[in-house]
Amino acid sequence: MNNLVALCAVGAEKILGNEIKRLGYSLDSDVPNKPGRVFFTGDDDALFRTNLCLRTADRVYLRMARFHAEDFDQLFDGVYNVDWQDFFRKDSKVVVDKVRTYKSALNSEHAVQGMCLKAIYKKLGDVWNMHTLPESGESFDVRVYIDEDEAVVLLDLSGLPLHKRGYRTDGGMAPLRETTASAMLQMMMWRRKTPLHDPFCGSGTLAIEAALYAFNVAPGFGRRFALESLPIFNAERAREIRRSEAEKIRTDVEVRITGTDIDPAAVQRAKSNAEHALVTAGRALQMLGSDAHLPRPDFDVADFKDIQAPYESGIIVCNPPYGERLGDEAQAEELYRSMSSLFTDFKGWQIGVITAHKRFQECIGRYASVLKSLKSGNLDTTFYIYDGSEKEKSRQPRKAAPSKPRQKGGRGRFDGRRFGGDEF
């Protein structure tokens, strides 16, 4: 069995852990999870399958070593003792791309980085009887965490971060990560039969991730992984895994996934990205001799204030503009106040909103049923989930500004006929 580590947004560890278990792998009970890290064990197939199938993981690593390191001698020995020659070729270039230390005697990340790299090249040189390695081949990343004097050394199996699915042609300004979007959908416990709408669809990430989930399309079909360049990679077995995952794609389900945005250019990007994503899924089906066509999410140009729910119940999930996408804080707060209209225009719908704005609830005039903190990269965000209950309404902040009266309809009207009809 292999010891593995998957990285995710801080706050999404439980969601990722459940995904790993659904793939048939076991969480590592000997290593407590750290913020943004989930430790697990899996067979040789897990090296490829987790990269191909995990929706909320940002990267997957093979755990090469775990040892106590209070000084540089212990650190050097622990890294040197790994059989690095089994994982690299003689012309490989090894990069210790990141070091993180926490409450440890070794707290100089730069010094730890240099010592680990020295130990790796010393081991390779000793095994291959080479004084200098050419480093003319492919580059591979190693990452080191030292928490309370315990070192964990990891080999990157993913390469590009896994949120880079390969379908996004142009994300626009400050796009939502695909892995974060998938975590949001799972936190809301969305099911494919439930209508889903994103009134700030931007580049379409939430709707596209929902479609991939609804049709059971593995998110990694459209890309390669660093694992595929390692000597341990089994190309024949990887083809078999791709085929087995293609067999799981659902072509017999109907979904109602829609998105709108006030920006025509954003809607065009969303359509283009969705086309790329589902064309890739179609190519996976072709491995099975199937020419089935998977429906694309429906996108249209509309102001969120001009749309109404086409069904009695459903889910709204969105990433409204903030920060660099909107301008200043006053503009953001004005937008959030006007978003209170969603609770009347989509009465009976569950609503999920992710934002980094600390006064969001005060602005929108309601307190969420569930709050989930998510940190992806350097951005601290909160995911607010509203179930539409009267209890939420009764807890409304007193100073929240009421929404202004609006006229419904017009070219941006959101109705069942335009977005797939009432039949399901």
Side-chain angles (χ1 to χ4, degrees):
M1 297 297 283
N2 300 289
N3 294 308
L4 297 140
V5 183
L7 305 190
C8 63
V10 176
E13 297 86 357
K14 185 175 181 180
I15 295 290
L16 175 56
N18 288 337
E19 271 201 279
I20 290 168
K21 288 188 286 187
R22 284 196 296 271
L23 285 179
Y25 306 122
S26 300
L27 301 186
D28 192 340
S29 57
D30 293 334
V31 186
N33 290 336
K34 305 290 184 179
R37 284 173 269 165
V38 178
F39 295 80
F40 64 104
T41 58
D43 57 14
D44 289 344
D45 284 355
L47 306 184
F48 185 78
R49 192 185 298 277
T50 52
N51 276 287
L52 181 68
C53 298
L54 289 176
R55 300 181 188 279
T56 60
D58 287 317
R59 289 183 184 275
V60 176
Y61 290 91
L62 182 62
R63 197 180 88 201
M64 308 300 291
R66 177 187 173 207
F67 54 88
H68 188 76
E70 288 187 35
D71 55 46
F72 284 110
D73 287 339
Q74 291 178 325
L75 178 66
F76 182 93
D77 291 342
V79 177
Y80 182 90
N81 289 334
V82 176
D83 292 328
W84 295 107
Q85 69 277 6
D86 295 339
F87 298 89
F88 300 128
R89 297 181 175 86
K90 291 183 179 180
D91 64 349
S92 296
K93 180 179 180 179
V94 183
V95 177
V96 179
D97 75 318
K98 190 171 289 187
V99 171
R100 291 289 181 264
T101 65
Y102 175 73
K103 291 185 178 180
S104 298
L106 297 174
N107 56 20
S108 170
E109 295 179 354
H110 180 74
V112 169
Q113 183 180 38
M115 185 59 69
C116 291
L117 193 61
K118 180 180 178 180
I120 293 170
Y121 275 105
K122 173 66 173 169
K123 178 61 172 282
L124 294 176
D126 288 349
V127 171
W128 292 331
N129 295 314
M130 299 173 68
H131 181 69
T132 303
L133 277 72
E135 297 185 296
S136 57
E138 294 197 55
S139 179
F140 299 97
D141 291 340
V142 172
R143 184 168 294 193
V144 180
Y145 292 97
I146 305 180
D147 293 296
E148 298 178 333
D149 297 324
E150 181 181 81
V152 175
V153 182
L154 309 173
L155 175 61
D156 181 19
L157 301 179
S158 300
L160 289 174
L162 294 178
H163 75 264
K164 295 187 176 183
R165 313 287 203 213
Y167 63 71
R168 182 179 285 172
T169 54
D170 177 13
M173 188 178 290
L176 181 71
R177 282 189 179 184
E178 291 83 344
T179 47
T180 303
S182 186
M184 291 164 61
L185 293 166
Q186 294 191 46
M187 285 176 176
M188 293 192 77
M189 296 184 286
W190 178 68
R191 298 293 178 263
R192 60 172 62 91
K193 289 187 177 181
T194 304
L196 182 143
H197 181 66
D198 180 359
F200 303 94
C201 69
S203 58
T205 303
L206 279 160
I208 295 168
E209 288 299 311
L212 295 179
Y213 174 79
F215 299 124
N216 206 29
V217 178
F221 270 127
R223 54 162 290 171
R224 288 175 53 83
F225 310 104
L227 169 67
E228 296 178 62
S229 298
L230 291 171
I232 61 171
F233 178 61
N234 186 332
E236 181 178 354
R237 183 57 190 148
R239 284 192 293 271
E240 293 172 355
I241 293 172
R242 281 185 179 273
R243 185 179 180 86
S244 69
E245 292 303 321
E247 290 173 348
K248 297 175 184 177
I249 295 176
R250 297 286 303 273
T251 60
D252 60 339
V253 294
E254 293 182 79
V255 297
R256 292 168 286 186
I257 301 171
T258 57
T260 52
D261 199 287
I262 198 171
D263 181 4
V267 171
Q268 188 54 49
R269 282 195 300 270
K271 290 179 178 179
S272 178
N273 291 338
E275 185 66 19
H276 277 85
L278 291 165
V279 162
T280 298
R283 292 196 186 105
L285 287 170
Q286 288 173 4
M287 288 191 292
L288 311 176
S290 171
D291 59 356
H293 175 85
L294 297 177
R296 281 55 170 156
D298 287 311
F299 297 104
D300 198 20
V301 178
D303 190 322
F304 75 92
K305 290 175 282 190
D306 294 331
I307 60 176
Q308 289 181 320
Y311 309 105
E312 289 185 1
S313 62
I315 283 180
I316 278 186
V317 60
C318 61
N319 173 36
Y322 56 83
E324 63 180 292
R325 294 168 59 206
L326 199 58
D328 57 32
E329 187 170 326
Q331 285 179 291
E333 293 188 0
E334 182 180 355
L335 171 68
Y336 298 151
R337 290 187 185 98
S338 64
M339 282 176 60
S340 62
S341 65
L342 292 172
F343 292 92
T344 53
D345 297 337
F346 286 79
K347 189 176 181 180
W349 285 48
Q350 191 179 16
I351 296 177
V353 182
I354 190 168
T355 179
H357 198 290
K358 301 302 181 185
R359 297 180 62 244
F360 171 76
Q361 292 194 104
E362 181 180 344
C363 292
I364 201 170
R366 291 176 183 254
Y367 288 149
S369 307
V370 178
L371 284 77
K372 300 281 188 180
S373 295
L374 284 172
K375 182 171 184 177
S376 188
N378 294 322
L379 190 61
D380 291 307
T381 61
T382 302
F383 187 38
Y384 301 91
I385 301 176
Y386 298 85
D387 63 16
S389 68
E390 288 302 314
K391 182 178 180 181
E392 286 175 346
K393 189 174 181 180
S394 67
R395 296 173 61 201
Q396 180 174 339
R398 293 179 181 178
K399 294 184 180 180
S403 58
K404 295 180 180 180
R406 301 167 319 287
Q407 228 178 3
K408 297 294 175 183
R411 71 183 181 93
R413 183 168 177 78
F414 176 77
D415 58 52
R417 290 171 297 146
R418 174 173 288 179
F419 293 97
D422 293 322
E423 294 297 326
F424 181 58

